Amino acid sequence: MSRTKVNSIREQIAADLAGNAIKYKRKLLREVDALWRRTGGALPFDSAQGDERLEMLAEKVADEFRITGAAKDLFLKEVKSGQQQIAEVWKEYFSGVIGEELALKAGTYEKLVALTKINFKGLQEDQRDLIVDQTRKAIGQGQGFATLRNELRKNGLGAHVAETLANTSMGAFDHAVLQEYAAQVNVTHFKYDGVIHTNTRPFCRERVGKIYTIAELDAMDNGQISPVSIYLGGFNCTHTLSPVIEGLTD
């Protein structure tokens, strides 16, 4: 085989790896997560023992996939960074849960990552902390909108405010989970989807039916709450993001 052909193949492989970097990284992180669950991992990732075990499992995955040198260092850094991120929501998510039930189940990793994105910046601090904490607890206990709304009302929020925040928070969580799974299979584009009503916001009216990346959405300003990728038009927005899959999406 000629040197020109070899170089061409090498360049193509490098381009494929670069273009699918997120996909490969997500798969490797899922391998670490799966090992954590199979070995009965029940310790918060930011605890001393949890951090030690996490590094051991990451090393194991790196060895199995023959990741060495600088690539291995980068992988270990990504694993630690990802788990430090979800450690932020661990306490609230598992509030009231002890013992063996604390072990991660399938889908928990994605839920924890999604919950790190729900922060309600712009709200008054006490209101923001309440909605964020209660959302994490509700999701961790397998509850939904009604439970979250009721808990917010018990904590002093009026009926209308509680309903708006609960509805907005659950919608944002659904969008964040969808995007986490989409990233794992390298889906990068989403259709701004939904029905246009007489009271549809101008922001949504201009975007329904169009296709965007998450970065493009997050560069937008809906005038209410950000990021647009999970809150879309703002409070009580009924629109959604539909993954665009080549060959399968209209």
Side-chain angles (χ1 to χ4, degrees):
M1 186 179 295
S2 69
R3 181 175 294 278
T4 301
K5 184 66 174 177
V6 169
N7 288 338
S8 175
I9 293 174
R10 181 183 293 122
E11 289 171 3
Q12 182 60 50
I13 291 174
D16 289 344
L17 286 172
N20 290 283
I22 294 177
K23 179 179 179 180
Y24 296 138
K25 185 177 79 173
R26 297 286 182 175
K27 284 188 174 182
L28 290 168
L29 289 175
R30 291 288 293 129
E31 284 291 326
V32 176
D33 175 50
L35 269 177
W36 180 273
R37 284 186 278 111
R38 285 203 301 270
T39 56
L43 295 166
F45 292 110
D46 59 347
S47 70
Q49 288 177 287
D51 188 65
E52 184 178 339
R53 284 197 56 223
L54 177 65
E55 187 165 350
M56 179 185 71
L57 294 177
E59 288 272 3
K60 179 178 174 63
V61 170
D63 291 342
E64 287 180 355
F65 283 83
R66 299 180 182 178
I67 304 172
T68 59
K72 181 176 181 179
D73 292 339
L74 179 60
F75 170 61
L76 295 178
K77 182 179 179 180
E78 290 280 1
V79 169
K80 284 192 173 184
S81 174
Q83 302 306 343
Q84 285 172 356
Q85 181 187 41
I86 66 175
E88 297 174 13
V89 301
W90 188 282
K91 183 178 179 180
E92 288 84 3
Y93 183 91
F94 286 112
S95 178
V97 180
I98 58 175
E100 295 181 2
E101 295 179 16
L102 190 62
L104 288 177
K105 300 176 182 178
T108 301
Y109 180 83
E110 287 76 14
K111 291 179 180 178
L112 289 168
V113 170
L115 285 169
T116 65
K117 300 177 182 178
I118 299 175
N119 51 44
F120 282 93
K121 291 180 180 177
L123 290 184
Q124 294 180 353
E125 187 174 351
D126 56 344
Q127 200 173 71
R128 182 188 68 224
D129 291 345
L130 175 62
I131 180 62
V132 169
D133 292 349
Q134 291 299 326
T135 298
R136 292 171 179 176
K137 291 176 183 177
I139 298 299
Q141 295 166 10
Q143 303 300 318
F145 164 77
T147 296
L148 178 56
R149 178 196 58 196
N150 293 339
E151 288 301 317
L152 293 177
R153 293 189 65 178
K154 287 179 186 177
N155 280 274
L157 295 186
H160 176 69
V161 174
E163 181 146 347
T164 294
L165 290 179
N167 187 44
T168 303
S169 190
M170 284 299 176
F173 171 72
D174 288 342
H175 294 142
V177 170
L178 170 69
Q179 290 161 34
E180 174 60 24
Y181 279 113
Q184 291 182 21
V185 292
N186 211 32
V187 171
T188 58
H189 289 72
F190 299 82
K191 181 181 178 182
Y192 202 108
D193 229 338
V195 178
I196 295 179
H197 298 287
T198 55
N199 63 344
T200 294
R201 296 180 177 101
F203 179 88
C204 294
R205 191 179 294 273
E206 294 173 8
R207 289 163 177 77
V208 168
K210 296 181 180 179
I211 295 173
Y212 303 98
T213 65
I214 297 302
E216 288 171 339
L217 288 166
D218 287 345
M220 300 174 187
D221 182 1
N222 60 25
Q224 292 193 4
I225 187 170
S226 61
V228 168
S229 61
I230 64 170
Y231 294 112
L232 280 74
F235 294 104
N236 278 328
C237 184
T238 60
H239 294 102
T240 60
L241 294 179
S242 299
V244 175
I245 303 174
E246 189 174 352
L248 297 178
T249 306
D250 294 334

